[in-house]
Amino acid sequence: MSHPLTRVLTLLELLQSNARLTGTELADRLDTDVRTVRRYTAHLRELGIPVEAERGRYGGYRLARGYRMPPLVLTNDEALAVVLGLLAAERLGMGTAAPATAGALAKIERVLPHALREPLAAMRETLSFTANAVTGQAPTTGVLLALAQASRARTTVGISHQSWREEHTERDIDPYGVVFHTGRWYVVGHDHLRDSLRTFRIDRIASVTPEPTASPHSTASTQWPT
């Protein structure tokens, strides 16, 4: 949560979920300091969101009484598409972390108009899938996104990988793309260690590290599909 915009949005979510939080409590939740919290609350005020500050030893921050975020404006078809996508990710094992999917669904349902909220809640409670996901650990969001970005940018990355035998290796790969298949995420690419095309389960990759830009004399070792 290092990006300032992410922290500002997280601050807004915290203020919506709590009647009042002190500057220290917010700083701890955002992994920053009290001075930065004051700057983030100023950003929210600039956006027209009334954040009230109570000074003093027991002071804190809260949203103005009676303030509510405007409802999410979605058509029936758009709302159904979003909810079905989240439910599919949750039920088929396509999500990265269980709390993320559940949290996203809760936030969407909270801001939808009542006329849409009830039918979509009924869909969520009654929908079934015939395809069963295999049991496996969900991949880390940061790892999955880093591999997708490297695939698009055609850059080499270092990965820390654990095999099914629980053997740990550090290797460089040229990722060609990510694949979701029968409940698991995979990355396909050229493995420099084996000098061959390989497929790795992403939930077995602990970290992804961008490699330094290759010099003109070392580009021959990087193999990209044409």
Side-chain angles (χ1 to χ4, degrees), residues 135-202:
T135 302
Q137 183 178 356
T140 303
T141 301
V143 169
L144 180 61
L145 295 180
L147 291 171
Q149 288 179 298
S151 300
R152 184 176 66 176
R154 299 173 71 120
T155 56
T156 302
V157 294
I159 64 171
S160 176
H161 178 261
Q162 175 179 291
S163 71
W164 64 275
R165 294 191 181 95
E166 297 188 355
E167 298 172 345
H168 292 268
T169 58
E170 302 289 332
R171 58 183 76 201
D172 294 339
I173 65 170
D174 304 327
Y176 300 156
V178 295
V179 179
F180 180 77
H181 177 65
T182 61
R184 292 194 176 109
W185 288 95
Y186 299 86
V187 59
V188 181
H190 178 78
D191 177 17
H192 291 216
L193 182 64
R194 304 299 184 193
D195 193 24
S196 63
L197 181 68
R198 296 290 299 276
T199 300
F200 300 96
R201 270 179 49 179
I202 297 180

Side-chain angles (χ1 to χ4, degrees), residues 4-162:
L5 178 58
T6 302
R7 288 180 172 176
V8 171
L9 294 176
T10 303
L11 170 61
L12 177 57
E13 175 64 21
L14 290 170
L15 292 174
Q16 290 183 93
S17 305
N18 298 272
R20 186 182 65 84
L21 289 171
T22 67
T24 301
E25 289 172 331
L26 288 171
D28 290 341
R29 302 277 191 95
L30 297 172
D31 192 24
T32 186
D33 52 54
V34 175
R35 178 178 297 179
T36 304
V37 169
R38 287 198 293 267
R39 189 169 72 248
Y40 289 163
T41 57
H43 288 331
L44 290 178
R45 293 190 189 102
E46 291 172 0
L47 294 172
I49 299 172
V51 179
E52 296 180 344
E54 300 174 346
R55 297 185 179 277
R57 181 178 179 183
Y58 301 103
Y61 296 91
R62 69 181 183 186
L63 291 179
R65 296 185 185 278
Y67 177 77
R68 294 290 184 273
M69 290 292 290
L72 189 63
V73 181
L74 292 174
T75 66
N76 288 13
D77 289 343
E78 291 169 342
L80 179 60
V82 171
V83 172
L84 286 178
L86 289 170
L87 288 175
E90 180 181 54
R91 307 283 177 84
L92 301 180
M94 196 173 182
T96 55
T101 302
L105 280 168
K107 289 177 182 178
I108 289 174
E109 291 177 352
R110 188 164 63 238
V111 298
L112 285 174
H114 182 76
L116 279 179
R117 192 182 310 157
E118 288 302 315
L120 289 177
M123 171 65 73
R124 181 179 182 181
E125 294 171 9
T126 59
L127 179 64
S128 299
F129 290 85
T130 58
N132 295 320
V134 297
T135 302
Q137 183 178 356
T140 303
T141 301
V143 169
L144 180 61
L145 295 180
L147 291 171
Q149 288 179 298
S151 300
R152 184 176 66 176
R154 299 173 71 120
T155 56
T156 302
V157 294
I159 64 171
S160 176
H161 178 261
Q162 175 179 291

